[in-house]
Amino acid sequence: AKAAGRGCFRYYEPEMNAHAQLRRLLQLDLQRALKANEFVLHYQPQVDLRTGGVTGFEALLRWHHPERGLITPERFIPLAEETRAIVPLGEWVLRQACAEASRWPGGQKVAVNLSPIQFAHGHLPSMVATALRLSGLAPARLELEITEMVLLSDTEATLAALHELQALGVSIALDDFGTGYASLGYLQRFPFDRVKIDRSFIRRLGHSRESDAIVRSVIELCAAINMATTAEGVETEEQCRILRAGGCTAAQGYLFGRPSATIDAAALQQS
Ligand code: C2E
Ligand code: CA
Ligand code: CA
Ligand code: CA
């Protein structure tokens, strides 16, 4: 363990040990897990706040490991990013989400999360084009969710990739808005179709003047520059009411539905 040099302190921390263990497991296991169909997508409804209708579903990745049980994305995606296993895994997510959405009778959109690593190493526009072609899904029904982490690295190449993706006809949403550093600058630099306001702001709605003011301003700002807004993590009627009054266009959260492996047939029919 000493030979590990600067990183050797890690060996004395049980958490780090678990991390190292899981990381090794993931590296060895990913190809097998993909082939063995251990990954599944759960879908969470996205609701139009003006009509109340379900306009789309966000695909959220789950790993049903045979021995470890259900592993949540917060645990394995950072590791998959470190090892770049996120590239083939992300390609599976894209293809699977497009294929499943192509069979939804209501024609709702599907939102897919992308990792910064997929931009750096994944030939993303052609990967997306292939997923659309294989599934027959109309490009307008695919929304790609990125965080500003994507924009931090190599901005020229990233902006070019984002423009290429929009040219395919898919839409781009900026995820977790408000949690990063220079968010307003990013809104100016790239024409997102949608901004998703982070759950940390929504959580305090109605109980914090600051959160109320921030959320209201973000909604107004986005409206002024022609970007739709989705509130994340909406759990209460009160939050919903404040958002609707503020002009927020869409919402997602446990109030409307938890991520689920099976989508309610009624939700699929309406559009
Ligand atoms: P995210 O993109 O911000 O997704 C929203 C997360 O909030 C999901 O957690 C969802 O289950 C949770 N959530 C939704 N509504 C509520 C609510 O009302 N209350 C609370 N407390 N939580 C709510 P999940 O599914 O564990 O995913 C965590 C993160 O993992 C995602 O955050 C996303 O960053 C990442 N992720 C998930 N699937 C993928 C994927 O296919 N690819 C990539 N690159 N990342 C993914
Ligand atoms: Ca997301
Ligand atoms: Ca989010
Ligand atoms: Ca998040």
Side-chain angles (χ1 to χ4, degrees):
K2 278 197 186 132
R6 279 201 307 177
C8 70
F9 70 93
R10 292 172 173 233
Y11 288 77
Y12 302 105
E13 297 224 19
E15 242 172 72
M16 283 301 176
N17 233 331
H19 176 96
Q21 241 185 318
L22 187 59
R23 182 191 159 133
R24 213 183 51 208
L25 175 109
L26 179 84
Q27 269 174 312
L28 298 173
D29 225 30
L30 181 84
Q31 291 304 333
R32 184 201 59 77
L34 266 174
K35 282 207 191 86
N37 281 318
E38 287 174 11
F39 291 101
V40 290
L41 294 178
H42 284 196
Y43 292 95
Q44 185 179 35
Q46 301 180 317
V47 170
D48 184 324
L49 278 178
R50 288 159 304 190
T51 66
V54 174
T55 52
F57 295 89
E58 179 175 2
L60 293 159
L61 188 57
R62 304 285 182 263
W63 183 1
H64 286 285
H65 193 276
E67 284 122 41
R68 290 170 167 263
L70 191 84
I71 310 180
T72 67
E74 241 113 43
R75 294 202 63 199
F76 68 84
I77 283 173
L79 304 170
E81 287 176 330
E82 275 177 45
T83 61
R84 291 190 193 171
I86 193 69
V87 174
L89 182 55
E91 180 167 31
W92 177 85
V93 170
L94 260 173
R95 290 187 180 192
Q96 183 74 5
C98 289
E100 290 182 352
S102 74
R103 296 190 289 268
W104 295 343
Q108 292 91 348
K109 292 179 85 162
V110 65
V112 173
N113 292 286
L114 295 180
S115 154
I117 309 297
Q118 290 178 273
F119 279 83
H121 304 282
H123 309 286
L124 202 50
S126 61
M127 203 183 267
V128 169
T130 302
L132 289 170
R133 185 170 44 77
L134 289 174
S135 62
L137 187 77
R141 289 182 56 201
L142 177 61
E143 186 152 279
L144 302 172
E145 298 193 357
I146 68 165
T147 65
E148 67 173 46
M149 290 304 293
V150 166
L151 304 166
L152 285 179
S153 57
D154 196 359
T155 25
E156 285 308 306
T158 303
L159 286 183
L162 287 172
H163 282 293
E164 254 185 88
L165 288 168
Q166 265 181 341
L168 290 175
V170 308
S171 52
I172 312 282
L174 182 58
D175 206 352
D176 300 344
F177 184 74
T179 55
Y181 295 101
S183 298
L184 290 185
Y186 293 125
L187 291 188
Q188 187 174 41
R189 235 185 300 166
F190 189 78
F192 295 101
D193 300 284
R194 173 181 306 279
V195 167
K196 297 187 77 175
I197 307 170
D198 193 68
R199 173 154 55 92
S200 54
F201 299 102
I202 308 305
R203 193 166 44 212
R204 291 190 284 268
L205 271 187
H207 302 276
S208 142
R209 285 212 337 242
E210 290 77 14
S211 287
D212 289 8
I214 290 170
V215 169
R216 195 173 291 268
S217 316
V218 169
I219 294 167
E220 273 173 28
L221 169 71
C222 289
I225 56 179
N226 245 333
M227 293 181 190
T229 38
T230 298
E232 293 191 319
V234 177
E235 295 183 355
T236 70
E237 291 290 354
E238 186 190 19
Q239 292 164 347
C240 189
R241 187 180 47 71
I242 295 171
L243 289 162
R244 198 180 280 121
C248 186
T249 38
Q252 197 179 335
Y254 295 168
L255 180 65
F256 309 103
R258 293 189 176 240
S260 163
T262 52
I263 305 176
D264 180 43
L268 271 185
Q269 291 301 333
Q270 58 179 261
S271 90

